[in-house]
Amino acid sequence: MSAEAGLNPPGLDLASVQQRIQTEVDRAIQRSIKGVEYISTSGPSLGSTPKDILSVRGTMNLYHYRPIAEEIYRVPILIVMATTNRGYILDMVPGQSFIEFLLKRGYDVYMLDWTAPKPEEKRLRMEDYVLDFIPDCVRRVQQDSGETDVTVIGYCFGGVLSLLYGSIFADGPMKNLICFTTPIDFREMKLFQNFADRRYFDVDHLIDSIGNVPPEMILSSFEMLRPASRAASQVQLWENIWNDEFVKSYRMFDRWATDTLPLAGEYFRTITKDLMWDNKLYNDTMTVGGRKADVANIRVPILHAVAEHDHIVPYDAAKPLIQKIGSADKEEVMLKGGHVSLVAGANAIRRLWPKLDSWLCERST
């Protein structure tokens, strides 16, 4: 064997090896440069789709997004966000905004978003959300749009609030209901059940002592669902910090995931006792302000979108919803993705958004 053959084993492409080495060197240099840039700059501006504020009352914000299509569907949409998270997850950056997508498709879009309850708002109850805030926003949407019918879209616990509202106000004005990753059987929220085990968790002592539930407690409970996810994501960020698109996406979703809102104390007390402990929504025994909230009373068209790999609302917690709803026109669609990627990001753009548009367009005239 010649010396040259020994240095170049058969099948070894030296040019390819050199190219891979050069690529890794370039990326290592870029990591150092981009790492400094990451620390010294802020992320992209989120929630920038033009909108008008229709109402601000306590922890409630009602927005109307300015229409951009020449022709608008008759029935407006009211999006009800979860009370733990901010609404800009549905309005990331241009090209990756669910709100922008709906506007371009010709829908008239409103959003009920939330801010942190003040210490004096610790007495806000479930009935304040279901019997006051949501009906107030629906009335304002009707007045602003000039239409009686309203489509309601609820994300996660915003879906629970929408179910409670729809079951109590079953005679209208809700025309369609869309739920994203909405739990109904709280026994199947396994880790949350462990956190809230009535044998060890004294919710009355907690609320009576501190008032509102701090966001750190809520965020910690979410992170415990995947204890290593934050460390793993930070490693992944460093490995891909040379990639501007990856970093942009990481910063958007990381900011939202950690931007958790506190929960009003009395409201949290009801969630714990009525939903987590007694599972009243699933057992058809739920009442809000003395009014029975049975989802079998909901008879409007409903679409429930669930995520195949949802670690926050497992499918077993969401599965009974369509079975229990009283509607004849009802559909569940399971799509690939997780709790967040179902509604936002490239996965949602390809899967959920077109499905929702095809379902909603014929029910919005």
Side-chain angles (χ1 to χ4, degrees), residues 291-364:
R291 304 179 69 170
K292 187 170 177 57
D294 185 348
V295 298
N297 292 332
I298 297 176
R299 302 189 182 279
V300 301
I302 178 171
L303 176 69
H304 188 198
V306 295
E308 186 176 356
H309 306 293
D310 193 332
H311 69 292
I312 293 177
V313 179
Y315 178 57
D316 285 342
K319 179 170 60 175
L321 175 55
I322 290 298
Q323 302 166 13
K324 296 180 76 65
I325 287 284
S327 309
D329 181 358
K330 54 186 178 180
E331 180 181 353
E332 175 190 275
V333 55
M334 176 178 281
L335 301 171
K336 290 188 178 297
H339 189 76
V340 179
S341 65
L342 175 77
V343 299
N347 179 67
I349 293 171
R350 292 192 304 269
R351 296 188 173 97
L352 177 64
W353 299 1
K355 169 61 183 177
L356 184 143
D357 179 39
S358 67
W359 187 91
L360 191 55
C361 66
E362 62 188 42
R363 295 169 175 84
S364 297

Side-chain angles (χ1 to χ4, degrees), residues 173-188:
M174 186 171 70
K175 186 177 190 295
N176 307 293
L177 175 60
I178 298 169
C179 293
F180 298 151
T181 65
T182 297
I184 188 169
D185 186 354
F186 284 81
R187 294 172 307 176
E188 299 299 332

Side-chain angles (χ1 to χ4, degrees), residues 29-44 46 230-231 233-258:
I29 294 171
Q30 284 297 309
R31 284 190 188 101
S32 299
I33 296 172
K34 295 291 186 179
V36 173
E37 182 180 305
Y38 181 88
I39 295 170
S40 62
T41 61
S42 60
L46 306 178
R230 176 154 293 276
S233 66
Q234 289 173 344
V235 170
Q236 192 176 26
L237 170 64
W238 176 247
E239 290 177 345
N240 293 275
I241 204 165
W242 53 272
N243 184 329
D244 289 341
E245 283 303 311
F246 181 93
V247 172
K248 176 183 175 182
S249 178
Y250 177 92
R251 297 189 85 153
M252 289 191 300
F253 285 99
D254 183 65
R255 173 184 163 188
W256 180 80
T258 56

